[in-house]
Amino acid sequence: MQLIPASPEGALDAAEEAVDLLLDSGRTPGDVLVITTGEQHPWAAHELSFGESAYWAQHDAGDDVFYADAALAARAASRPVVVVAVNGGPEAAAVTALSAAHSRAGALLIVCGDPQRINSVLGAGV
């Protein structure tokens, strides 16, 4: 597990930078799942505007980075790398996201957010 310290307001940007670095280092886009705890990633919001069927079809295709919020993360399949942006939301969303991420990360789990909050959530049994 890798922790990238960031404020709730900066966690999504930190996650995007982590994804860019992963892709630049040779990871394929289909290797990466990004989970948010607060506001949805703009990609997820845009894709969901076309309906859940189209959104999940892109997930199932597995050829691009997939973005899901904590409430949908349990439905996402495992991927080699999972990035979590702890970008606000209730404590339960952070617990859900970190639990889902931990069980779905095949090789690497990257968590972007406030280290104190993350450690508190991890101490809650994740």
Side-chain angles (χ1 to χ4, degrees):
M1 182 170 127
Q2 180 181 354
L3 175 63
I4 300 174
S7 67
E9 299 79 20
L12 200 52
D13 288 338
E16 281 295 311
E17 289 176 25
V19 169
D20 288 345
L21 287 171
L22 288 163
L23 298 177
D24 289 347
S25 71
R27 286 282 181 183
T28 62
D31 283 353
V32 183
L33 168 65
V34 179
I35 302 171
T36 57
T37 63
E39 186 176 324
Q40 283 184 334
H41 187 278
W43 180 91
H46 173 75
E47 293 303 319
L48 280 165
S49 72
F50 298 108
E52 283 206 27
S53 294
Y55 173 75
W56 288 107
Q58 288 193 348
H59 167 270
D60 296 342
D63 56 5
D64 205 354
V65 176
F66 190 77
Y67 298 86
D69 72 10
L72 300 175
R75 187 170 166 188
S78 295
R79 295 220 176 168
V81 180
V82 178
V83 179
V84 179
V86 184
N87 63 328
E91 198 72 18
V95 170
T96 298
L98 289 170
S99 293
H102 188 263
S103 67
R104 282 163 182 71
L108 178 62
L109 171 59
I110 300 172
V111 182
C112 306
D114 176 15
Q116 209 167 19
R117 181 174 186 206
I118 292 164
N119 286 332
S120 169
V121 170
L122 291 174
V126 172

